[in-house]
Amino acid sequence: MSSFEIGQEHFVLDGREHQIISGAMHYFRIHPDQWEGRIATAKAMGLNTIETYVAWNFHSAQRGEFRLDGQRDLTRFLRLVQDAGMHAIVRPGPYICAEWDNGGIPAWLLADPDVQMRRDEPRYLAAVQEYMDALLPVIAPLQVHRGGPVLMIQVENEYGAYGEDKVYLRKLVDMLRGGGITVPLFTCDQADDEMLSRGGLPELHRTATFGSRSLERLQTLRRHQTTGPLMCMEYWNGWFDAWGEDHHVTDPHGTGDDLRELLSAGASVNLYMVHGGTNFGFTSGANDKGSYRPTITSYDYDAPMAEDGTPTPKYDAMQAVIRTHRGLGAHPVRRRTPAPTFVVTQPASTTSLWAFVDRHTPWGEYEEAPTHEQIGALSGFSLYRTWLDLPAAALLTIGEARDRVQVFVNRQPVAVLDRAEGARAVYLPATGRATVELLVEDQGRVNYGPRIGEPKGVIGPVLVDGRPVHGWQAAALPIEQWAAEAASTPGTPATAPGIGGPALSVWHLDGQVPADLFLETSGFGKGMAWFNDWNLGRYWGKGPQETLYVPAPLVREEGNTLVVLELSGAADAAARFVPGPRWSTTTAD
């Protein structure tokens, strides 16, 4: 058993002064069979601790459910950290930001429009209590004084950027303590006087988040944490990317120099991120600071360890700083072996999405266009349908698209209304009596700021030439189920040189050596891909991401299946695999 406490000047581990040198690594962004190797590479960098958020919605996709299997096995992840001779810091939220869908707060909670998130509100806190009642029995036995690796637990996350409800924060503290958490608790906020004041409690240790000018930011933190160790809980050594923008990169040596200053000042640090991983499936979030910007699938983050876990030049620079600071010798690490390169020229089959819609969709009836929350579309796609008389061209307008609406008249594409572009209107052609369908994609819930928790879908009113449209059918689309069905049942043999969307296409890939793969997506338009039923995430021709990462544990020698949902259409129907990740544009920060 060990002891850990926050002393008057330092962290104290087993009675000795202790400087935490940690790296953020999210188990929910990494294939579980790769956890051990990623942790080992982080340790070789010189780190003594791994930090992870816990994403509430990843464990509780439905209310009353709390899954701990497979990729959700938090106990296994933390035990692997311990087996590597490292400690752990856990940040359970309930809000985590993390460029993760809705900041980790489950979408099912939003079905009640009266719930007020991240404050002292009974319905919200009742749900948080359910979450803590399920989570804390997992974490409590893994605390350091009970023989586990967990040193500290965070309360909320950068709360000073959102609110200042001290009663709410104290109720979270009571939940943690009532659930058996006895290790030190702390808060983190950006290195800003107002945020540090708003987001902390006098009885909790404050930490700060920043990515440059470390000595200056530590002085800001010291004004609010007047005693005890200083810690940068998120040292932003990279940054995340949004669709249609540049891939961010930072200078490895400049990052290393600033880190050297921080460590030499005696501060503890948590690198955000040491390894970013991937926003598989529908898990990526979005930002909206006046304009909606969805986060890409890759969470490479320009971190020291790339999306596939390989060390980068930034790793080399930071490893040299950390290991020298700790008095450790050099430690060579494995470099990337280029991924296999091959092309499967034609899909084995392509099936129109409409075929699945017509066979399987359980429609709900609504007078007004409903939100996603009203139809139970917690993520992914939905379809809205109505019937209109269009003797002449007519202007269709909606209150807001959240987030991308493909408009079809009699199953023919008419336009795309994209939230990021502010598009809300389209002319419908003169077709007489027509079926109008709106295929809606939730591109990720906002994860930061006041727009957390907003409704998704078609936000009304819906008007045609200024008159309200009444009488709708709407349904959440079970895209995961349809992708699995497409992979396992014969479809229409593909003969065209491209793919007409929306459609699900299937390729069979035999004779593969199990290894990481990178699916090139620059030849596709927009959609999602699955490899052996694992949802690799979204792709989009607007970049900057031009590949989807396929973790090696998914790849078999025989019987591999790739499924692609192409929404708009692709000129080239080939599935191309390339040696490594590709970016269309980059920018140096």
PDB file of all heavy atoms in Angstrom, residues 224 274 285 290 331 545:
ATOM      1  N   HIS A 224      -3.880  31.991  -7.012  1.00  0.00           N
ATOM      2  CA  HIS A 224      -5.113  31.347  -6.556  1.00  0.00           C
ATOM      3  C   HIS A 224      -4.838  30.103  -5.721  1.00  0.00           C
ATOM      4  O   HIS A 224      -5.667  29.739  -4.885  1.00  0.00           O
ATOM      5  CB  HIS A 224      -5.972  30.991  -7.772  1.00  0.00           C
ATOM      6  CG  HIS A 224      -6.370  32.187  -8.576  1.00  0.00           C
ATOM      7  ND1 HIS A 224      -7.544  32.872  -8.365  1.00  0.00           N
ATOM      8  CD2 HIS A 224      -5.712  32.855  -9.569  1.00  0.00           C
ATOM      9  CE1 HIS A 224      -7.599  33.898  -9.201  1.00  0.00           C
ATOM     10  NE2 HIS A 224      -6.508  33.905  -9.935  1.00  0.00           N
ATOM     11  N   VAL A 274      -0.479  13.028 -24.565  1.00  0.00           N
ATOM     12  CA  VAL A 274       0.715  12.278 -24.925  1.00  0.00           C
ATOM     13  C   VAL A 274       0.392  11.367 -26.105  1.00  0.00           C
ATOM     14  O   VAL A 274       1.227  11.124 -26.970  1.00  0.00           O
ATOM     15  CB  VAL A 274       1.271  11.483 -23.736  1.00  0.00           C
ATOM     16  CG1 VAL A 274       0.349  10.358 -23.277  1.00  0.00           C
ATOM     17  CG2 VAL A 274       2.641  10.915 -24.094  1.00  0.00           C
ATOM     18  N   GLY A 285     -16.854  15.522 -31.052  1.00  0.00           N
ATOM     19  CA  GLY A 285     -17.683  16.651 -30.671  1.00  0.00           C
ATOM     20  C   GLY A 285     -17.588  17.777 -31.676  1.00  0.00           C
ATOM     21  O   GLY A 285     -17.266  17.581 -32.857  1.00  0.00           O
ATOM     22  N   GLY A 290     -19.755  31.105 -32.227  1.00  0.00           N
ATOM     23  CA  GLY A 290     -20.322  31.956 -33.252  1.00  0.00           C
ATOM     24  C   GLY A 290     -20.486  31.254 -34.573  1.00  0.00           C
ATOM     25  O   GLY A 290     -21.255  31.686 -35.431  1.00  0.00           O
ATOM     26  N   HIS A 331      16.349   5.867 -23.999  1.00  0.00           N
ATOM     27  CA  HIS A 331      15.488   4.689 -24.154  1.00  0.00           C
ATOM     28  C   HIS A 331      14.952   4.673 -25.572  1.00  0.00           C
ATOM     29  O   HIS A 331      13.972   5.348 -25.886  1.00  0.00           O
ATOM     30  CB  HIS A 331      14.328   4.737 -23.153  1.00  0.00           C
ATOM     31  CG  HIS A 331      13.584   3.443 -23.025  1.00  0.00           C
ATOM     32  ND1 HIS A 331      12.894   2.870 -24.087  1.00  0.00           N
ATOM     33  CD2 HIS A 331      13.409   2.597 -21.969  1.00  0.00           C
ATOM     34  CE1 HIS A 331      12.335   1.748 -23.682  1.00  0.00           C
ATOM     35  NE2 HIS A 331      12.619   1.560 -22.410  1.00  0.00           N
ATOM     36  N   GLN A 545      -8.311  15.851 -42.871  1.00  0.00           N
ATOM     37  CA  GLN A 545      -8.003  14.441 -42.718  1.00  0.00           C
ATOM     38  C   GLN A 545      -8.315  13.707 -44.009  1.00  0.00           C
ATOM     39  O   GLN A 545      -9.416  13.817 -44.542  1.00  0.00           O
ATOM     40  CB  GLN A 545      -8.840  13.867 -41.570  1.00  0.00           C
ATOM     41  CG  GLN A 545      -8.627  12.397 -41.313  1.00  0.00           C
ATOM     42  CD  GLN A 545      -9.405  11.919 -40.092  1.00  0.00           C
ATOM     43  OE1 GLN A 545      -9.956  12.709 -39.340  1.00  0.00           O
ATOM     44  NE2 GLN A 545      -9.429  10.612 -39.885  1.00  0.00           N
TER      45      GLN A 545
END
